[in-house]
Amino acid sequence: GWLLTEAAHKFGPRTACIYYAQRYNFQELLEAALRFAARLVREGVQPGDRVGVLLPNLPETMISLFGTWLAGGVAVALSPLMVAEEVGA
């Protein structure tokens, strides 16, 4: 998570992500990731816990990855192409 924190401090208002008409600057991305991290902690995620991220390439994917790392978790990227049996294994 430190990488996004540093980028937000250095490049805050610069565009970090564009997805169609949706834009995030580095500061907005950090704020969204911190909100997600806080939610994970409220839900009981502790440092070292694995958090599965099953999303396509969207801004929310970056938010969930950085949020997981900021909460101290280990992000486990899962492909949206996986079937239920593969995800549960």
Side-chain angles (χ1 to χ4, degrees), residues 7-40:
H9 285 98
K10 289 182 182 179
F11 311 113
R14 290 188 189 172
T15 300
C17 174
I18 300 172
Y19 183 76
Y20 294 98
Q22 189 177 8
R23 288 179 173 260
Y24 281 95
N25 66 38
F26 286 98
Q27 188 61 42
E28 292 167 334
L29 192 59
L30 176 61
E31 291 168 4
L34 288 170
R35 284 192 305 273
F36 187 73
R39 179 59 184 253
L40 289 174

Side-chain angles (χ1 to χ4, degrees), residues 1-84:
W2 64 268
L3 184 61
L4 178 58
T5 303
E6 287 294 313
H9 285 98
K10 289 182 182 179
F11 311 113
R14 290 188 189 172
T15 300
C17 174
I18 300 172
Y19 183 76
Y20 294 98
Q22 189 177 8
R23 288 179 173 260
Y24 281 95
N25 66 38
F26 286 98
Q27 188 61 42
E28 292 167 334
L29 192 59
L30 176 61
E31 291 168 4
L34 288 170
R35 284 192 305 273
F36 187 73
R39 179 59 184 253
L40 289 174
V41 170
R42 279 195 309 273
E43 293 295 325
V45 171
Q46 297 187 13
D49 283 355
R50 290 175 280 173
V51 177
V53 178
L54 180 63
L55 293 169
N57 292 331
L58 298 169
E60 290 78 11
T61 304
M62 293 188 343
I63 292 166
S64 64
L65 291 172
F66 279 113
T68 298
W69 297 327
L70 288 166
V74 177
V76 179
L78 303 168
S79 171
L81 301 177
M82 296 172 79
V83 295

